[in-house]
Amino acid sequence: MSIQDQGLLPRPLFDNLVELAMILFLNAWLMLFACTCSAVFFKVLTGTFALSSILLLLAVEFLSLIVWGAYWIILYPNYFTPFRHLPTPLKRSFLTGNRDVVFPDYPYEDIRRVSETLPNNGLIRFYEPLNREVLLFTKPQAMKEMLSLKPYDFGHPSLIKFIMQRLTGSNNLKLFRKNLRPAFTTTHIKGLTPMFWDKAEEMVQLMEAELQIDSHSVVNLHDYGSRATLDNVGLAMMGHDFDTLQQPDNKLREAFKNMSVEPTKAFNWIGLINRVLDLRPIFKLVALLPLKKSRVKVSSEYIRSVATSVIQERTQTLQKSGSPETRDITTIALETGAFPLDELVDHVMLFLTAGQKSTATAFEWTMYELGRRPEMQRRLRAEIVESLGPASVGTAELGSRVQDLPYLNAVCSEVIRCYPFIPLATKVADTNTTVLGENIPKGTIIYFAPEAFNQDKELWGGDAHIFNPDRWMKPGMANSGGASSNYAMLSFSAGPWGCIGQNFARAMLACLVAAVVRRFEIDLVDVETAGRIKCGPFKRPVEGIHARLKVVESSYVK
């Protein structure tokens, strides 16, 4: 019987001590091994060949590493893990864990498959490559406890926090959420929709101008959507138009492109190594070296300088003339007096980098689904034209009408359900806690898959895997889609740490979709391949969505 089973140590404390001891051992072993190798190199270099004692030390080091490996590979997952009674997939290897390959193209697919096929009560023990143990949360009750009942017991993994801080300057959203939640309410966002609609109409006019040059032109909807959302985020966040629709190659857009680093094998290896060895000190040390700045760093600093300049100008304007009629988020932040300039710039950077790409991708997927479903497209266009009427109707009135269109909102909600931008999310236990009565030691890695929850047949019914906006059209189902739980759709997460900008994203998406569908018939260039998903952690089209657009002349006539 183990010390833990005898009750001599509290279970979470025992688990923490064991894991801490094993991690400290590995770090100490690496340092000792490096010193030993240096000694060998020195003796060879100086011509001293009395290496017997050093070779003996190397042998002891390798033997200790073998013992360490045996513990993590054989003993820990079978006898010492605090989660040994939880269900786990039968197939497991040290190199790939419960996966088939070390770095799968779509890492969330394995999680979805396991969640659907392995009987469980909400918690599954899952092993990543190098036998790294994680917990899968698979049921709404587990998500409720983590996201709503105990939200401050869980946070982002250390490497994610580090990357966020390097890109934006901040990883702390508590103050931002506390003081700016009113700026993201449905009422306030509705006041911004005329601005979103103006940008959507500007985008449509540029598309039409392209078609006037060549009516058979293939329109890059990815490019237009990215530019329109970037401009809209700048206007809503800071009252500043980045003007990338009119100037697609301006310096600011190029900087945003440079910051959009695509995950590579190098990123995968860094993440894998970081599971057993904290790499943050190495990154910090490298950052101090007098090396040429990376393209990402240069671009981040440029965007930050633009944001700083805009906020300073905004501050001076408020001091001279008071609050403007259209109150962007930065204006509200300045009025609270709760944010120093540098901290407000951090939050602006975080919002700009996180908010733009996800909304632009949702727009692409909406164009994809409508492009391959002409009847659905016609039905949506009829609703939009009937409600919005002729072009002479004022912008403010049009903007407010867009959010009240039931089928448009149903289509957008179904896109958000079927295409979560982050299909697999990661949390870490920041303290010893419990979920579903299970002790969760501090440091435990948690996975939950919006991809799996959003298409769970137990929550959504037998057609969960089918794109069906009508599920949102039934009486009383406009907000739930008929799902049996508030935690059935996790594209924006949920609870206090749910996406604060989800109303913002929905309003912007609705305006972009309404403007395009109102004016054009959408014909995908290649229906068979347009929906291919890019490899990696995000759910995005491989090459963006391309279509031929046909102007609908009657779209401005009621």
Short mmCIF file of all heavy atoms in Angstrom, two decimals, residues 7 20 54 76 80 93 148 166 170 174 189 237 281 311 317 343 382 409 424-425 433 445 467-468 491 527 548:
data_model
loop_
_atom_site.label_atom_id
_atom_site.label_comp_id
_atom_site.label_asym_id
_atom_site.label_seq_id
_atom_site.Cartn_x
_atom_site.Cartn_y
_atom_site.Cartn_z
N GLY A 7 -3.22 7.27 3.47
CA GLY A 7 -3.79 8.51 3.97
C GLY A 7 -2.82 9.35 4.76
O GLY A 7 -3.21 10.26 5.49
N LEU A 20 6.32 17.26 -8.97
CA LEU A 20 7.37 18.26 -8.80
C LEU A 20 8.74 17.59 -8.70
O LEU A 20 9.72 18.04 -9.30
CB LEU A 20 7.10 19.11 -7.56
CG LEU A 20 8.15 20.19 -7.23
CD1 LEU A 20 8.23 21.20 -8.36
CD2 LEU A 20 7.79 20.87 -5.92
N ILE A 54 34.71 9.81 -15.21
CA ILE A 54 33.66 10.54 -15.92
C ILE A 54 32.74 9.57 -16.65
O ILE A 54 31.51 9.76 -16.68
CB ILE A 54 34.29 11.56 -16.89
CG1 ILE A 54 35.05 12.63 -16.10
CG2 ILE A 54 33.22 12.21 -17.76
CD1 ILE A 54 35.72 13.67 -16.97
N TYR A 76 3.95 5.21 -13.54
CA TYR A 76 3.02 6.30 -13.27
C TYR A 76 1.64 6.08 -13.89
O TYR A 76 0.62 6.15 -13.19
CB TYR A 76 3.62 7.64 -13.74
CG TYR A 76 2.68 8.80 -13.52
CD1 TYR A 76 2.60 9.42 -12.27
CD2 TYR A 76 1.84 9.26 -14.54
CE1 TYR A 76 1.72 10.47 -12.05
CE2 TYR A 76 0.96 10.30 -14.34
CZ TYR A 76 0.90 10.90 -13.08
OH TYR A 76 0.03 11.93 -12.86
N PHE A 80 0.52 5.04 -10.27
CA PHE A 80 0.69 6.22 -9.44
C PHE A 80 -0.15 7.43 -9.86
O PHE A 80 -0.29 8.36 -9.08
CB PHE A 80 2.17 6.63 -9.41
CG PHE A 80 3.03 5.66 -8.67
CD1 PHE A 80 3.80 4.74 -9.36
CD2 PHE A 80 3.07 5.65 -7.29
CE1 PHE A 80 4.60 3.83 -8.69
CE2 PHE A 80 3.86 4.75 -6.60
CZ PHE A 80 4.63 3.83 -7.30
N SER A 93 1.33 4.62 -26.53
CA SER A 93 2.78 4.42 -26.63
C SER A 93 3.47 5.65 -26.06
O SER A 93 2.88 6.73 -25.98
CB SER A 93 3.20 4.21 -28.09
OG SER A 93 3.08 5.42 -28.82
N SER A 148 -17.88 28.07 -14.93
CA SER A 148 -18.81 28.96 -14.24
C SER A 148 -18.72 28.90 -12.72
O SER A 148 -18.70 29.94 -12.06
CB SER A 148 -20.25 28.64 -14.67
OG SER A 148 -20.44 28.91 -16.04
N ARG A 166 4.30 38.20 -25.14
CA ARG A 166 5.29 38.63 -26.13
C ARG A 166 4.64 39.36 -27.30
O ARG A 166 5.20 40.31 -27.84
CB ARG A 166 6.06 37.41 -26.66
CG ARG A 166 6.92 36.72 -25.63
CD ARG A 166 8.12 37.55 -25.24
NE ARG A 166 9.04 37.73 -26.34
CZ ARG A 166 10.07 38.57 -26.33
NH1 ARG A 166 10.27 39.34 -25.30
NH2 ARG A 166 10.89 38.64 -27.36
N SER A 170 0.56 41.90 -22.70
CA SER A 170 -0.26 41.61 -21.52
C SER A 170 -0.87 40.23 -21.63
O SER A 170 -1.13 39.74 -22.72
CB SER A 170 -1.38 42.64 -21.38
OG SER A 170 -2.26 42.30 -20.33
N LYS A 174 -8.34 40.54 -16.25
CA LYS A 174 -9.28 40.74 -15.16
C LYS A 174 -9.76 42.18 -15.08
O LYS A 174 -10.96 42.47 -15.01
CB LYS A 174 -8.65 40.32 -13.83
CG LYS A 174 -8.47 38.81 -13.69
CD LYS A 174 -7.92 38.46 -12.31
CE LYS A 174 -7.77 36.94 -12.17
NZ LYS A 174 -7.23 36.57 -10.85
N ILE A 189 -23.32 47.38 -28.42
CA ILE A 189 -22.88 46.87 -29.72
C ILE A 189 -23.89 47.25 -30.81
O ILE A 189 -23.52 47.56 -31.94
CB ILE A 189 -22.68 45.35 -29.68
CG1 ILE A 189 -21.54 44.99 -28.72
CG2 ILE A 189 -22.39 44.80 -31.06
CD1 ILE A 189 -20.21 45.58 -29.06
N MET A 237 -12.81 49.63 -31.71
CA MET A 237 -11.92 49.59 -30.56
C MET A 237 -11.35 50.97 -30.23
O MET A 237 -11.27 51.35 -29.06
CB MET A 237 -10.76 48.62 -30.84
CG MET A 237 -9.93 48.30 -29.61
SD MET A 237 -10.85 47.30 -28.43
CE MET A 237 -9.93 47.57 -26.92
N PRO A 281 12.52 30.44 -19.49
CA PRO A 281 13.78 31.12 -19.18
C PRO A 281 14.72 31.22 -20.39
O PRO A 281 15.42 32.22 -20.55
CB PRO A 281 14.39 30.24 -18.08
CG PRO A 281 13.21 29.57 -17.45
CD PRO A 281 12.26 29.32 -18.57
N ILE A 311 -4.49 56.34 -29.19
CA ILE A 311 -5.05 56.49 -27.84
C ILE A 311 -4.67 57.85 -27.26
O ILE A 311 -5.49 58.51 -26.60
CB ILE A 311 -4.59 55.34 -26.94
CG1 ILE A 311 -5.23 54.02 -27.42
CG2 ILE A 311 -4.97 55.60 -25.49
CD1 ILE A 311 -4.71 52.80 -26.71
N THR A 317 -8.55 64.57 -27.40
CA THR A 317 -9.86 64.95 -27.93
C THR A 317 -10.92 64.95 -26.84
O THR A 317 -11.76 65.85 -26.76
CB THR A 317 -10.27 63.99 -29.07
OG1 THR A 317 -9.30 64.04 -30.11
CG2 THR A 317 -11.63 64.36 -29.63
N GLU A 343 -1.09 49.98 -20.19
CA GLU A 343 -1.99 48.85 -19.96
C GLU A 343 -3.15 48.87 -20.95
O GLU A 343 -3.58 47.81 -21.44
CB GLU A 343 -2.51 48.88 -18.53
CG GLU A 343 -3.24 47.61 -18.14
CD GLU A 343 -3.49 47.51 -16.65
OE1 GLU A 343 -2.70 48.09 -15.88
OE2 GLU A 343 -4.47 46.86 -16.28
N ALA A 382 -33.90 36.86 -49.70
CA ALA A 382 -35.28 37.34 -49.66
C ALA A 382 -35.57 38.02 -48.32
O ALA A 382 -36.22 39.09 -48.28
CB ALA A 382 -36.24 36.18 -49.90
N ASN A 409 -29.51 35.64 -38.50
CA ASN A 409 -28.90 35.26 -37.22
C ASN A 409 -28.78 33.75 -37.08
O ASN A 409 -27.81 33.24 -36.49
CB ASN A 409 -29.71 35.84 -36.06
CG ASN A 409 -29.53 37.35 -35.94
OD1 ASN A 409 -28.43 37.85 -36.14
ND2 ASN A 409 -30.60 38.06 -35.62
N LEU A 424 -10.08 23.02 -30.24
CA LEU A 424 -9.58 22.33 -29.05
C LEU A 424 -8.91 23.35 -28.14
O LEU A 424 -7.96 24.02 -28.54
CB LEU A 424 -8.57 21.24 -29.44
CG LEU A 424 -7.91 20.49 -28.28
CD1 LEU A 424 -8.96 19.73 -27.48
CD2 LEU A 424 -6.83 19.53 -28.79
N ALA A 425 -9.44 23.49 -26.92
CA ALA A 425 -8.93 24.50 -25.98
C ALA A 425 -8.23 23.83 -24.82
O ALA A 425 -8.53 22.68 -24.46
CB ALA A 425 -10.08 25.37 -25.47
N THR A 433 -8.06 21.58 -6.82
CA THR A 433 -9.50 21.78 -6.89
C THR A 433 -10.19 20.45 -7.16
O THR A 433 -9.54 19.40 -7.16
CB THR A 433 -9.84 22.82 -8.00
OG1 THR A 433 -11.24 23.12 -7.97
CG2 THR A 433 -9.46 22.32 -9.37
N ILE A 445 -3.21 19.52 -16.68
CA ILE A 445 -3.62 20.08 -17.97
C ILE A 445 -5.01 19.56 -18.33
O ILE A 445 -5.29 18.36 -18.23
CB ILE A 445 -2.63 19.69 -19.08
CG1 ILE A 445 -1.22 20.20 -18.74
CG2 ILE A 445 -3.08 20.24 -20.43
CD1 ILE A 445 -1.11 21.70 -18.64
N PHE A 467 -25.18 20.87 -41.18
CA PHE A 467 -25.36 22.32 -41.17
C PHE A 467 -26.83 22.64 -41.41
O PHE A 467 -27.35 22.46 -42.51
CB PHE A 467 -24.50 22.97 -42.26
CG PHE A 467 -24.51 24.48 -42.23
CD1 PHE A 467 -23.64 25.18 -41.40
CD2 PHE A 467 -25.39 25.20 -43.04
CE1 PHE A 467 -23.65 26.56 -41.37
CE2 PHE A 467 -25.41 26.58 -43.01
CZ PHE A 467 -24.54 27.27 -42.18
N ASN A 468 -27.51 23.09 -40.37
CA ASN A 468 -28.95 23.28 -40.44
C ASN A 468 -29.38 24.52 -39.65
O ASN A 468 -29.70 24.44 -38.45
CB ASN A 468 -29.67 22.04 -39.89
CG ASN A 468 -31.18 22.21 -39.88
OD1 ASN A 468 -31.73 23.02 -40.63
ND2 ASN A 468 -31.85 21.48 -39.01
N SER A 491 -18.02 27.67 -28.77
CA SER A 491 -17.17 28.42 -29.70
C SER A 491 -16.62 29.67 -29.05
O SER A 491 -15.49 30.11 -29.36
CB SER A 491 -17.96 28.79 -30.96
OG SER A 491 -18.44 27.64 -31.61
N VAL A 527 -16.47 23.77 -55.53
CA VAL A 527 -17.26 23.33 -54.38
C VAL A 527 -16.60 22.15 -53.67
O VAL A 527 -16.64 22.04 -52.44
CB VAL A 527 -18.69 22.95 -54.82
CG1 VAL A 527 -19.50 22.45 -53.63
CG2 VAL A 527 -19.38 24.15 -55.47
N ARG A 548 -17.14 33.29 -57.66
CA ARG A 548 -17.58 34.22 -58.70
C ARG A 548 -18.89 34.84 -58.22
O ARG A 548 -19.79 34.12 -57.78
CB ARG A 548 -17.78 33.49 -60.03
CG ARG A 548 -16.47 33.03 -60.65
CD ARG A 548 -16.68 32.40 -62.03
NE ARG A 548 -15.41 32.09 -62.65
CZ ARG A 548 -14.75 30.95 -62.47
NH1 ARG A 548 -15.27 30.00 -61.69
NH2 ARG A 548 -13.59 30.74 -63.06
#
